Amino acid sequence: MDISKKSVKKIRELIVFTAFLVVALWKFDVVLDVLKAIWGIVFPFVLGGAIAFVTNVPMSFLEKKIFGRVKKENKIVVKLARPISLFLTIVFAVGVIVLVMFGVIPQLTRTMGTLMMSITDFIPQMQSWIREFSHNNQEIMKLVDQVQFNPDQAIKWGISLLGNGAGNMMNTTMSAVGSIVSGLAAFFVAFSFACYVLFQKETLQVQIRKVFFAFLPKEKADVFFKVCSLTYRTFANFLTGQCLEAIILGCMFCVTLSILRMPYALLIGILIAFTALIPIFGAFIGCAVGSFLIFMLSPKQAILFIIVFLVLQQIEGNLIYPHVVGESVGLPSIWVLAAVTIGGNLMGIVGMLVFIPLLSVFYTIFREFVYLHLKKKHIKQVTKTEIEEYTKEEIDKALALEETEGRRLVPSRDFSGHGTAVLGIAAGNGRASGGVNCGVAYESELLVVKMGNARENSFPRTTELMEGIDYLVRQAVQMGKPIAINISFGNNYGSHEPYN
């Protein structure tokens, strides 16, 4: 049997892979220790890459808005644009942290003190309510009377807990100091690496492209960089939209609660802003905590807060979120819920934030993969709908054939000639007149939608017009190109005389 060199190479690679797999399973603990050691070495660089990725979004925005119009001849300003943008981004991030520390922590401390006093006052009221509701049932009241809360004992318990923690920490001082030093060192390396990546990102991009194009086929390298570009756009759009939406929602709650003179307005506003970063469930977590805090002071105001939350949540979900975040991740709602659930179970809150854009990237790639295979199989439709799609290549091929054969390939036909005439005015190439009579935008690429067949004494339905516009917009977004839509469609709907 004649075995080619390519087959021998594949067999050799399979044997080597099998050998490595057997050794890894045989010495699994050793392999695991080696992987942990490698992860400890590369972790600062992975952390630095994550910091650079997140920081690049606001830094690029500031660099574009502040220095975008500066001419390249002004070398000093161009050279300082990125350091200044990075500095402003760091100042903004530190400012947010300081605002939380000095704005939330003092109020949270006062809230805890007020909460203790509220619990002390609330327990007798609760016992009185239960006594009236149970008609002074002795067995129930015995259990209720056992519920007691002493603020002094709670403070002593907290101090003893901190004392035990401090004692345990003193017993392991050296290990604690070692962990802190190691963590600070790792963060310093990560931050330095992130700054280097941000300052030299164009150079690094060119170097990485050279490496991939040198060792991979051009088609695979193009696909890889296309996926990377899609991933960056998806993550950047998601992070930007989610953060902006959380800030708007937090400000709405802070202002509304302040106007209604409800307690903890600033605290609840900041709390909801932070919890709103968690998709779907985050704002409800903030609502639960806020309701509990207000309930300790006034149950009536707690009910009012829940009503305010539901109203603002509807405004945010229907008006603000679609415009701020919109379809930035391009993921259907059911897949968003699946991403949040899976990511939360695997990695907690971080998993919820990561899995939505990650699943969006996978969804987009898989959708293109499906469409590509359908196109290869020449499958135009998979349902009973009458929608059909024809590419430029298919239309050109049909025009080159005889009319009968061309109609078999592209059976669509303009019976009235209206669509053809309008298309000629909009973007005709002037071929029939030797280039004399051309359309308005004769070098444009065309996307033509023919709606359903007209019924007797009627045009196609308006819903078909909306579906056609939706199709055009989606195609333009998918191709990443601007679009201008011409709608030559309608009816005079009777006389235009003033008395009618």
Side-chain angles (χ1 to χ4, degrees), residues 72-103:
K72 295 183 179 180
E73 289 76 10
N74 196 340
K75 295 183 179 180
I76 297 177
V77 178
V78 172
K79 190 174 182 179
L80 293 176
R82 184 155 301 170
I84 293 175
S85 301
L86 178 60
F87 176 75
L88 292 176
T89 303
I90 295 173
V91 169
F92 176 75
V94 173
V96 172
I97 296 174
V98 170
L99 175 64
V100 173
M101 291 180 62
F102 291 94

Side-chain angles (χ1 to χ4, degrees), residues 43-59 86 89-90 93 183 186-198 232 239:
F43 173 74
F45 301 99
V46 175
L47 179 61
I51 294 174
F53 181 86
V54 175
T55 308
N56 183 60
V57 177
M59 188 196 74
L86 178 60
T89 303
I90 295 173
F187 179 78
F188 178 76
V189 173
F191 183 76
S192 303
F193 179 73
C195 291
Y196 174 78
V197 170
L198 292 171
Y232 173 76
L239 289 175

Side-chain angles (χ1 to χ4, degrees), residues 220-292:
K220 293 183 179 180
D222 286 334
V223 171
F224 174 78
F225 286 114
K226 183 179 179 181
V227 173
C228 290
S229 177
L230 174 65
T231 304
Y232 173 76
R233 289 198 310 270
T234 304
F235 272 82
N237 292 339
F238 176 74
L239 289 175
T240 304
Q242 200 72 18
C243 291
L244 184 58
E245 183 262 345
I247 292 173
I248 294 174
L249 186 62
C251 293
M252 288 172 57
F253 272 94
C254 184
V255 172
T256 304
L257 296 182
S258 299
I259 293 174
L260 296 176
R261 295 185 179 182
M262 299 184 70
Y264 312 127
L266 178 61
L267 178 63
I268 293 175
I270 296 177
L271 179 66
I272 289 181
F274 273 93
T275 55
L277 293 173
I278 305 173
I280 299 179
F281 307 113
F284 293 95
I285 297 174
C287 174
V289 177
S291 300
F292 174 75

